[in-house]
Amino acid sequence: MTSEVNMTGGAEMKEVTIVDRIGAHSHIRGLGLDDALEARKQGQGMVGQLKARKAAGIIVTMIKEGKIAGRAVLLAGIPGSGKTAIAMGMAQALGEDVPFTMIAGSEIYSLEMSKTEALTQAFRRSIGVRIKEETEIIEGEVVEIIIERPSTDPGRDSAGRTGRLCLKTIDMETEFDLGQKMIEALQKEKITVGDVITIDKANGKISKIGRSFSHSKNFDATSQNVRFVQTPDGELQKRKEVVHTVSLHEIDVINSRQQGFLALFSGDVGEIKNEVREQIDAKVAEWREEGKAEIVPGVLFVDEVHMLDIECFSWMNRALESQLAPVVVMASNRGISKIRGTEYKSPHGIPIDLLDRLIIVSTEPYSRMELQKIIQIRCEEEDVEMDEEALGGLTALGMKTSLRYALQLITTSALVALKRKSSVVTTQDIKKVYHLFCDRERSTEYLKEHEQEFLFSEDVAPVNQDVEMSSN
């Protein structure tokens, strides 16, 4: 004797708290270009830098089309002119499928591994491998789910469950027997009648594609996260091509450590032998010939590139010539300065032979109107309401000091306004935080005024130790 339970179930309501961290460039959604790659004056969080953004858009288009790899781009400009913002815009424009690695020039100086090994890992993190494989799946709309429990032995209620699943397409309908694991998988995914699902025959994984349009009017209200799809047509059993994108560095780690892919989570990477990389490159080349995989050249962004030394620049010169090389985007705010590790001076602190390989994109200082628009965007991002007078005062302050200093005062002035129980930031709040927090020029003036009171000041005459000892 069996008892039948129809699983139409309702989803449990659970309140989820979403924490959004606001970063320096969290307002950037892309490069702000139109279909003709012309930069809008304001778009997707980007303001100004029209020429630089258009140049970055052309580079992004070439990367997407696979026409550029092993090239290097230099974003050169004064501090606070939006170099990192353009790089973040490029990352957003490329999407999730294209690997984008971001490092600072000083990151490679570590005691755990050599400089060239750190750069090699950064290069290989920026090269994706799109692996294709075919798998058999069952795809259809859920018509009915019946779970049967043995009523003679209540103790075996959960362990001895069996059931039936009825799926349909536009052309056919079939019923499948369910075991304990499949029932648990259905309950875990909260599958109900009217859902369109896929079942991987190889591992039994169940995925919910969405809800059928034929059941769209079953409820008076539905969540905005519910996705409605058409009922599949054709046969229930299909062969589907599944694509996995992994980086070369991930393949390196998996094949060089005993714990395999778990090393990616533990952080135990260390140095990887060249022999392992050569074997992986040969295997990836074999997959490419067989049509099982393709290379996805990504982007490596090196901020503060002038912090690299002559050895790193020499290594990079050679690495850019290899077949498996990403697009390297560098940023520097230096003028004519010394190349680290040498006594020679060069533009941007980069050797001349590497500069010849670079496509150089220059950024320009922001105008007053552009500065004001950037401050307005940051106020919206940080959820701060500021009146027109305070906005104009903060813009003038940014022109006098720097954009970065002005942006730092947004949240601090909002907290001061909150203390006096106001939701709007006024000029009074801007003045208060201006006197509390020094900018670069005022801090320098203070140091010059009190330099003799600070330790290790270069301009102070050394203390005569003989006189000091005799006085004691």
Side-chain angles (χ1 to χ4, degrees):
M1 181 179 177
T2 60
S3 60
E4 295 188 357
V5 179
N6 198 354
M7 201 175 90
T8 57
E12 295 180 4
M13 297 296 293
K14 187 178 180 182
E15 188 176 347
V16 179
T17 304
I18 300 174
V19 180
D20 289 330
R21 287 188 59 83
I22 299 171
H25 301 99
S26 57
H27 62 283
I28 293 173
R29 309 286 184 264
L31 287 170
L33 305 176
D34 58 19
D35 296 336
L37 295 182
E38 292 294 334
R40 303 185 185 98
K41 290 185 178 180
Q42 181 180 344
Q44 296 182 316
M46 299 291 289
V47 177
Q49 305 296 351
L50 303 182
K51 290 182 180 178
R53 283 159 53 200
K54 183 175 181 180
I58 293 171
I59 294 167
V60 166
T61 304
M62 294 177 73
I63 294 170
K64 284 182 176 180
E65 294 178 356
K67 294 180 179 179
I68 180 171
R71 309 286 181 86
V73 182
L74 175 64
L75 300 174
I78 62 174
S81 58
K83 297 182 294 297
T84 307
I86 291 173
M88 296 298 293
M90 291 176 68
Q92 295 286 343
L94 286 169
E96 296 180 356
D97 290 339
V98 179
F100 189 94
T101 308
M102 197 171 191
I103 65 169
S106 55
E107 279 185 36
I108 64 163
Y109 300 103
S110 169
L111 296 175
E112 295 180 359
M113 63 180 73
S114 65
K115 294 176 286 187
T116 53
E117 174 65 21
L119 280 173
T120 303
Q121 291 189 9
F123 260 62
R124 293 178 76 84
R125 273 200 301 269
S126 308
I127 303 166
V129 182
R130 194 173 286 141
I131 302 170
K132 304 174 185 177
E133 60 177 356
E134 281 193 351
T135 181
E136 288 191 0
I137 62 167
I138 300 171
E139 183 180 35
E141 179 190 329
V142 178
V143 178
E144 188 180 27
I145 304 174
I146 298 175
I147 299 176
E148 301 171 348
R149 295 184 176 91
S151 59
T152 55
D153 190 356
R156 295 181 59 220
D157 191 30
S158 61
R161 291 184 298 177
T162 57
R164 299 191 302 275
L165 170 67
C166 185
L167 295 178
K168 74 168 185 178
T169 64
I170 294 174
D171 302 320
M172 62 182 297
E173 183 175 321
T174 308
E175 195 172 86
F176 299 92
D177 293 330
L178 297 176
Q180 177 64 25
K181 289 185 177 179
M182 291 297 292
I183 292 171
E184 289 177 356
L186 287 170
Q187 291 177 336
K188 183 180 178 182
E189 295 293 327
K190 296 184 174 64
I191 305 298
T192 58
V193 173
D195 289 340
V196 178
I197 65 171
T198 61
I199 304 173
D200 192 330
K201 291 185 70 176
N203 52 26
K205 182 182 177 183
I206 298 175
S207 303
K208 184 192 291 188
I209 299 175
R211 191 154 183 82
S212 173
F213 277 112
S214 59
H215 291 261
S216 60
K217 297 182 179 179
N218 286 11
F219 302 98
D220 294 333
T222 56
S223 169
Q224 61 180 2
N225 296 326
V226 175
R227 179 188 175 196
F228 290 99
V229 295
Q230 296 286 352
T231 302
D233 56 0
E235 295 188 359
L236 280 165
Q237 295 192 34
K238 302 173 182 176
R239 293 187 67 84
K240 186 178 180 182
E241 188 179 73
V242 181
V243 179
H244 309 280
T245 304
V246 294
S247 69
L248 279 178
H249 175 66
E250 290 171 344
I251 302 175
D252 294 343
V253 174
I254 291 170
N255 287 276
S256 64
R257 296 290 177 266
Q258 290 184 352
Q259 59 267 49
F261 72 94
L262 294 175
L264 294 169
F265 302 98
S266 65
D268 181 22
V269 178
E271 296 209 10
I272 299 171
K273 295 180 180 178
N274 285 331
E275 291 80 5
V276 174
R277 290 195 174 110
E278 288 173 1
Q279 291 175 4
I280 290 168
D281 291 347
K283 191 66 179 177
V284 170
E286 183 182 327
W287 288 345
R288 288 176 66 188
E289 290 179 2
E290 295 173 358
K292 294 180 179 179
E294 59 178 299
I295 299 295
V296 185
V299 177
L300 171 62
F301 177 62
V302 186
D303 204 0
E304 307 294 338
V305 71
H306 50 263
M307 293 300 296
L308 300 180
D309 60 13
I310 189 66
E311 296 174 7
C312 299
F313 287 127
S314 299
W315 181 91
M316 197 175 288
N317 246 332
R318 181 192 61 81
L320 286 171
E321 295 177 348
S322 64
Q323 291 183 352
L324 298 176
V327 176
V328 181
V329 179
M330 311 174 189
S332 176
N333 56 19
R334 296 292 174 89
I336 307 295
S337 56
K338 280 187 180 180
I339 302 168
R340 186 168 179 169
T342 71
E343 294 298 321
Y344 298 101
K345 290 187 177 182
S346 178
H348 314 295
I350 301 173
I352 298 295
D353 56 342
L354 182 58
L355 274 175
D356 287 339
R357 293 179 178 269
L358 304 181
I359 304 172
I360 301 176
V361 179
S362 298
T363 55
E364 300 171 354
Y366 289 110
S367 66
R368 184 187 178 91
M369 288 298 296
E370 291 170 350
L371 207 67
Q372 185 168 333
K373 287 179 181 178
I374 292 170
I375 293 173
Q376 283 179 328
I377 291 171
R378 289 305 302 177
C379 285
E380 292 174 6
E381 182 72 14
E382 298 177 26
D383 199 18
V384 174
E385 189 176 349
M386 189 177 294
D387 64 22
E388 290 296 327
E389 188 180 352
L391 182 63
L394 193 58
T395 303
L397 193 60
M399 293 295 292
K400 180 183 176 183
T401 57
S402 69
L403 171 62
R404 290 173 178 170
Y405 176 71
L407 295 180
Q408 296 289 350
L409 298 185
I410 293 175
T411 302
T412 50
S413 59
L415 291 173
V416 170
L418 195 63
K419 285 295 182 182
R420 60 179 182 83
K421 298 181 180 178
S422 173
S423 60
V424 181
V425 175
T426 62
T427 308
Q428 176 187 348
D429 304 316
I430 300 291
K431 287 180 179 179
K432 191 166 185 178
V433 294
Y434 175 74
H435 291 298
L436 285 173
F437 303 104
C438 292
D439 59 274
R440 183 185 60 213
E441 291 183 4
R442 285 186 293 158
S443 179
T444 305
E445 288 175 6
Y446 179 81
L447 286 175
K448 289 179 179 178
E449 186 179 346
H450 301 279
E451 62 183 349
Q452 294 184 354
E453 299 172 22
F454 284 86
L455 295 177
F456 307 113
S457 179
E458 294 182 358
D459 296 334
V460 179
V463 178
N464 193 329
Q465 293 184 357
D466 298 333
V467 175
E468 195 176 39
M469 290 177 65
S470 62
S471 64
N472 293 336

